[in-house]
Amino acid sequence: MTPPPARRRRTGAAGAAPTHNLPRRGSVRRAQAITTYGVGSLIAVDNESFVVSGLDSADTSWSAEESPRIHERRLERLLEVDHFRLPPASDDHSRDGVRVRRFPLMHSCPECDELQRHRDFNPPPGRSVCGTCEVDLVPSRFVVACENGHLDEFPYWQWVHRSTERGASTAGQCGGRLKLRTSGRTSSLRSILVSCTCGKAPEVSMEGSFRRNALKDLGLKCRGSRPWLGSSAPAQECGLALRTLQRGSSAVWQPVQKSALSIPPWSDSRTDPLAEHWNALREYDNPEHVRIYLQGVFKGKCPVPLDEVMTLLAAELEEDPDSETPPSFDHRYRALRVKEYESLRSGNDASEHSREEQFVCETPLSDSGVLAPLGVTGPMLVKRLREVRALKAFTRLADPDSTTDTKEVPLSASPLRWLPAMEVRGEGVFLRLAEDRLGIWEKIPALTARIERMRAAHQRVLDQRAGDLGQAILSPATPRMVLLHTLAHVLINEWSLEAGYPAAALRERLYAADDMAGVLVYTATSDSAGSLGGLVAQGEPDRLDETIRSAVRRAEWCSSDPLCVETEASGTGGTNLAACHACVMLPETSCEHNNILLDRALLVGTPEDPRLGFFADVRQQ
């Protein structure tokens, strides 16, 4: 975060009064508005705390120049929107940006120990200081939330007066004022003391406030507060149990993101002007009718030839469900991945397409047979790549990937036909594992038992997070999925050491199913580590052979061995086996599965049973 720039008066065109003259409160990177500081999340700017506002007014406050529209037809159909918008760019000349509201409202003064709402301190305009002591106010460290995504202030008054005869409904009627101080004896919650000047309740600590039933025992339930939507959105009837959270906890906000690669025939940027017309074009099955429609819309200057438009329409209809019952969202998302896998396998030569082509995937020039002894086949050089990542919704308390019926919170009070998104342009290397060798390896009994132990541990975590066992999704842990996942991690680590790429600048994309066994490693950023050809050069078979062999040999040993390789369970809830931060774990931005379902024993085996390793032969060479 950068400190907020000095406030200045902004004027409109020709010196006219500006439409909005809101104070600036710092800035974030455009990508962070999708991944870290999206709608409904809490953001700290210097000594202040805010919640990112909803998108109801974004249509007017986000300018077309600073927040352009982008298109990715396959992802638009999946998420049922018309287009995406980049979050507004932020610089000294920006007219507007992502809006925020102050939250939590409860603040404390470290000088006079007063604990009250921000406005009750009478701070000077534009500053967050105590009007009496003139020291910086401290936002409440604690907030409460429910699984429906509601967010509210911590009930300090009820917490202090819980031992009195008064009920929770009499908050603030004792006539006293709350105080908050820190004893300094320990760094635990026991040292944070809250009291009331009414004298009717003793000073209490915050110890125990994080218990699952701590607020339920006080008779408190969720009021349905949605501060990110402001006063225009009334509180919803909720009544779920509340949980106390640290303001900066990751459980306060989890993004629900969906992404897609731009693949043929939708990867030619010349088709973007047609984005608003696909629903209308689908009504025609006669090329002549399509031609007449395009001629009327574009006044005879359609940027796409008619035969290409018909090809796009055929591809659109091909992805429609065959049955009358619409498939589930997860099924459609898996189908989207299958199409990507097919495009990566078949390739897309740049010489056959226009310069606007956003997906270029070619076969290496040298012989790929050098990779056969490793059980690796079909390497492809993805020389041009575009990925669109959209923020669909968010959740609180629950992991969005843990249930089939996640309580997703929409980004606005009223439905929108667009979503915020970001696009990444880069390059990558795609490779597959040989199905014949993989099929034999997957049937090893000791391997099956090892993966079952990991799958059972992961399923327990998913069941606990889902609450209702009927809503919990099934763990995706299979031998090939864990193998591909771990292989992607060691390749990223190897390229970060040997090729100069920061590990956080690379990202994995896994294709693991009964009929898929591939992994794409690509640049996850479009800055200096983006599409300069360095990663593609690593995909040439001779160099890739050296990389895989070096990565496998490096995976044989971990600085935490023998504890790491011999552990019965590691990671969150035992969802990993032989994997730790000293060997195969990556930055969170690089991993699709939050650094779980990893086991380097599937690459190199264990000291007791080397056969478990798919690349065990490399150790003997």
Side-chain angles (χ1 to χ4, degrees), residues 118-134:
H118 184 270
R119 65 171 180 265
D120 295 334
F121 284 99
N122 296 318
R127 300 182 62 193
S128 181
V129 299
C130 178
T132 303
C133 307
E134 295 187 354

Side-chain angles (χ1 to χ4, degrees), residues 538-590:
Q538 304 300 317
E540 288 293 339
D542 291 340
R543 186 169 295 179
L544 185 59
D545 175 68
E546 296 177 2
T547 298
I548 295 176
R549 292 178 183 276
S550 176
V552 170
R553 292 193 182 99
R554 201 182 302 276
E556 292 180 10
W557 183 85
C558 171
S559 59
S560 297
D561 280 343
L563 296 178
C564 180
V565 72
E566 295 179 358
T567 185
E568 294 295 324
S570 67
T572 304
T575 51
N576 287 334
L577 288 179
C580 68
H581 287 284
C583 50
V584 299
M585 288 190 176
L586 292 175
E588 291 184 2
T589 55
S590 301

Side-chain angles (χ1 to χ4, degrees), residues 309-566:
V309 175
M310 298 306 300
T311 301
L312 291 169
L313 280 173
E316 173 114 343
L317 296 173
E318 182 184 349
E319 296 187 13
D320 288 345
D322 297 330
S323 61
E324 295 181 358
T325 304
S328 66
F329 181 87
D330 291 337
H331 179 80
R332 289 185 291 143
Y333 193 51
R334 284 195 296 270
L336 182 145
R337 287 293 187 102
V338 171
K339 290 291 185 181
E340 293 178 3
Y341 182 74
E342 294 173 355
S343 294
L344 289 166
R345 285 191 62 174
S346 58
N348 192 41
D349 199 312
S351 61
E352 302 175 1
H353 300 277
S354 67
R355 299 177 64 178
E356 286 78 16
E357 178 63 41
Q358 298 168 333
F359 180 81
V360 175
C361 181
E362 300 178 352
T363 305
L365 297 177
S366 56
D367 183 15
S368 301
V370 68
L371 298 171
L374 298 176
V376 175
T377 185
M380 300 294 286
L381 307 181
V382 187
K383 297 183 176 181
R384 199 179 302 165
L385 180 71
R386 176 179 181 259
E387 180 194 22
V388 175
R389 302 176 197 161
L391 179 62
K392 178 176 180 281
F394 66 89
T395 64
R396 303 198 197 279
L397 298 179
D399 185 344
D401 295 326
S402 63
T403 68
T404 56
D405 188 21
T406 305
K407 297 173 181 176
E408 297 180 356
V409 184
L411 306 181
S412 60
S414 56
L416 295 177
R417 294 300 301 172
W418 62 276
L419 290 171
M422 60 174 289
E423 59 180 353
V424 174
R425 299 177 185 271
E427 61 188 16
V429 175
F430 174 74
L431 58 88
R432 294 181 289 123
L433 299 182
E435 282 288 348
D436 52 351
R437 179 167 170 175
L438 190 60
I440 297 173
W441 173 81
E442 288 177 315
K443 297 177 182 178
I444 299 176
L447 172 67
T448 305
R450 188 176 181 91
I451 294 299
E452 176 58 28
R453 190 163 74 247
M454 182 185 297
R455 189 206 63 78
H458 188 216
Q459 193 64 55
R460 283 194 299 270
V461 173
L462 293 176
D463 293 344
Q464 292 171 1
R465 291 177 177 174
D468 183 357
L469 295 182
Q471 296 181 355
I473 65 173
L474 298 179
S475 170
T478 62
R480 70 171 59 195
M481 182 271 171
V482 178
L483 172 63
L484 287 167
H485 192 197
T486 311
L487 175 62
H489 277 230
V490 299
L491 285 176
I492 290 175
N493 278 331
E494 187 68 20
W495 279 325
S496 70
L497 294 172
E498 300 295 335
Y501 280 92
L506 300 177
R507 187 176 173 88
E508 67 180 7
R509 197 168 181 89
L510 305 180
Y511 301 91
D514 293 339
D515 54 348
M516 295 191 299
V519 59
L520 171 67
V521 176
Y522 62 103
T523 52
T525 174
S526 55
D527 59 7
S528 58
S531 54
L532 300 178
L535 184 58
V536 167
Q538 304 300 317
E540 288 293 339
D542 291 340
R543 186 169 295 179
L544 185 59
D545 175 68
E546 296 177 2
T547 298
I548 295 176
R549 292 178 183 276
S550 176
V552 170
R553 292 193 182 99
R554 201 182 302 276
E556 292 180 10
W557 183 85
C558 171
S559 59
S560 297
D561 280 343
L563 296 178
C564 180
V565 72
E566 295 179 358

Side-chain angles (χ1 to χ4, degrees), residues 261-281:
L261 301 181
S262 295
I263 59 173
W266 304 102
S267 52
D268 194 323
S269 60
R270 293 183 305 161
T271 64
D272 286 351
L274 300 175
E276 300 177 359
H277 304 285
W278 288 120
N279 290 334
L281 289 170

